[in-house]
Amino acid sequence: MQGLVHDLGAFWGTLAGIGLSLLYLVAVLLTVAFILVFDRKVWAAVQMRKGPNVVGPFGLLQSFADFLKFVLKEIVIPSGANKTVFVIAPVITVLTSFMAWAVVPMAPGWGISNMNVGILYILAISSLGIYGIIMGGWASNSKYPFLGALRSAAQMVSYEVSIGFVIVTVLLLVGSLNLTDIVNHQKAGIWDWHAFSFIGAIVHGGSFAKVALGVVTGLIMFMMLWIFFISALAETNRPPFDLPEAESELVAGYQVEYSATLYLLFMMAEYVNIVFMCAMISIMFLGGWNLPWAEVTNPFIGCLVLYVKIWVIFFLFAMVKAIVPRYRYDQLMRIGWKIFLPTTLVAVAVVGAYVAFFGGNA
């Protein structure tokens, strides 16, 4: 954004920045539309069904039909609800979900903002998203949405802790909070991707102590990939951790009183966050826009590579939804606080020791 302002001047640079932001917004929305159809197709295939197959070729336009349906429905607000907060809550949730994309680079030189503290920005924005859910549950003036909002807030806060410590392990290896720097740190090949850096420790060589601790650190980073993946499921309320929306217990959680466009905003925010988590996994652990065998400098190829990685990771999200039974709430909290938290703390200590003694694999 600053580069556009510098090259084009304040007025045209600002207009170009707004246009780039709108392009990002449209790209994310289209991705959400088709990834939602893909999610339903995967679920249907696991259950030996066809899934959406009527609207458009192979049912690809089903999401657009659903969008029109929600938009044309009447917005019903409960008589006892706080109407202002009731309407603002889903708007806050969807805005914060889109704001997180501002610092996500899609290819070399392609991004809205190349912020040096991009990770801190993401952590701050993701924390704000909880407020929309709490406000929606409280404003409904009903005990079931309120209980769902409390459960969702507790769940998201719990797993943000483990996600934060996983991110710290990546930051220790890279030495930067910039997402582009994180991708460039993995440009040499798949052996330098953080998820497979135990291979890189052997490839780069060195003293026996360095290689041994490097392999241990690499195996820890491979474990961090899956802890981040599972925590992302909980953070985005995806099955098997969709307890805020457990219809067998709370009807539909914090959004039970919502309908039409306001309900659509909550659902849109959820899927935007899911795609965002897929992008973060790709960037932090799987080399971002780089190929397994080579660095990518062409922005078009890099964007395509990262986009494919996002879809592959979302396929794992969809398969988990289809085959893993829902956890109880006490099991969910036990995993977050008694397993993931101590594990990630130990991981931070080991990775920190490796970086302190051997300087990582930079």
Side-chain angles (χ1 to χ4, degrees):
M1 187 74 172
Q2 291 178 346
L4 287 173
V5 173
H6 181 267
D7 295 337
L8 301 177
F11 179 74
W12 293 110
T14 302
L15 284 182
I18 294 173
L20 178 63
S21 301
L22 291 176
L23 180 63
Y24 244 64
L25 178 66
V26 172
V28 171
L29 286 174
L30 288 176
T31 301
V32 167
F34 289 112
I35 220 163
L36 180 55
V37 176
F38 179 67
D39 190 21
R40 295 174 66 178
K41 285 284 191 180
V42 170
W43 204 359
V46 171
Q47 298 175 346
M48 300 181 69
R49 297 185 291 107
K50 289 186 177 180
N53 61 354
V54 176
V55 185
F58 307 105
L60 291 177
L61 302 180
Q62 181 66 50
S63 295
F64 299 96
D66 291 339
F67 172 78
L68 289 176
K69 178 186 71 174
F70 279 115
V71 169
L72 295 176
K73 276 188 173 183
E74 179 186 2
I75 297 177
V76 179
I77 300 178
S79 58
N82 185 319
K83 293 179 175 55
T84 303
V85 180
F86 189 87
V87 173
I88 290 176
V91 175
I92 290 177
T93 304
V94 78
L95 281 179
T96 53
S97 67
F98 280 115
M99 287 169 64
W101 283 92
V103 295
V104 177
M106 292 301 295
W110 281 15
I112 297 176
S113 174
N114 189 27
M115 195 181 296
N116 287 330
V117 289
I119 292 293
L120 287 181
Y121 171 85
I122 288 171
L123 292 174
I125 292 298
S126 63
S127 299
L128 292 176
I130 300 174
Y131 288 101
I133 291 174
I134 295 176
M135 289 167 64
W138 177 82
S140 298
N141 195 25
S142 173
K143 59 183 177 182
Y144 291 111
F146 187 59
L147 286 173
L150 292 179
R151 284 158 61 112
S152 182
Q155 175 176 326
M156 294 173 73
V157 169
S158 299
Y159 280 85
E160 274 186 4
V161 175
S162 58
I163 284 178
F165 281 121
V166 170
I167 291 175
V168 168
T169 61
V170 175
L171 301 183
L172 286 171
L173 287 177
V174 178
S176 173
L177 294 166
N178 186 290
L179 290 174
T180 301
D181 291 343
I182 292 175
V183 176
N184 290 334
H185 190 260
Q186 307 170 76
K187 64 185 179 182
I190 191 172
W191 53 85
D192 270 355
W193 291 4
H194 294 142
F196 306 107
S197 56
F198 56 89
I199 303 174
I202 300 173
V203 171
H204 292 299
S207 65
F208 175 78
K210 180 179 180 179
V211 173
L213 190 54
V215 170
V216 172
T217 302
L219 293 174
I220 287 176
M221 294 307 296
F222 182 75
M223 187 191 309
M224 292 299 101
L225 163 66
W226 295 108
I227 289 181
F228 190 95
F229 176 80
I230 297 171
S231 299
L233 290 173
E235 183 73 9
T236 55
N237 298 330
R238 284 284 292 187
F241 305 130
D242 58 335
L243 298 173
E245 305 161 14
E247 59 275 352
S248 60
E249 304 169 19
L250 295 173
V251 187
Y254 58 89
Q255 59 203 14
V256 66
E257 300 290 356
Y258 281 87
S259 61
T261 308
L262 298 181
Y263 175 82
L264 173 67
L265 292 178
F266 270 130
M267 287 294 96
M268 185 188 300
E270 183 173 315
Y271 272 88
V272 169
N273 284 329
I274 291 168
V275 178
F276 173 75
M277 284 297 185
C278 294
M280 288 297 293
I281 292 173
S282 303
I283 288 171
M284 292 199 303
F285 294 100
L286 301 177
W289 54 75
N290 293 307
L291 290 166
W293 57 86
E295 177 187 2
V296 174
T297 56
N298 186 300
F300 293 98
I301 297 176
C303 185
L304 179 62
V305 171
L306 180 58
Y307 200 63
V308 170
K309 289 180 181 179
I310 289 173
W311 278 81
V312 170
I313 294 169
F314 182 80
F315 174 74
L316 298 179
F317 272 71
M319 287 301 294
V320 169
K321 175 181 179 180
I323 64 178
V324 180
R326 176 180 286 138
Y327 277 59
R328 294 196 316 266
Y329 197 74
D330 63 302
Q331 293 173 325
L332 172 71
M333 287 295 142
R334 185 181 301 116
I335 292 173
W337 290 107
K338 292 188 176 181
I339 298 177
F340 284 0
L341 178 59
T343 302
T344 51
L345 281 172
V346 172
V348 168
V350 174
V351 174
Y354 176 64
V355 172
F357 287 111
F358 302 110
N361 59 351

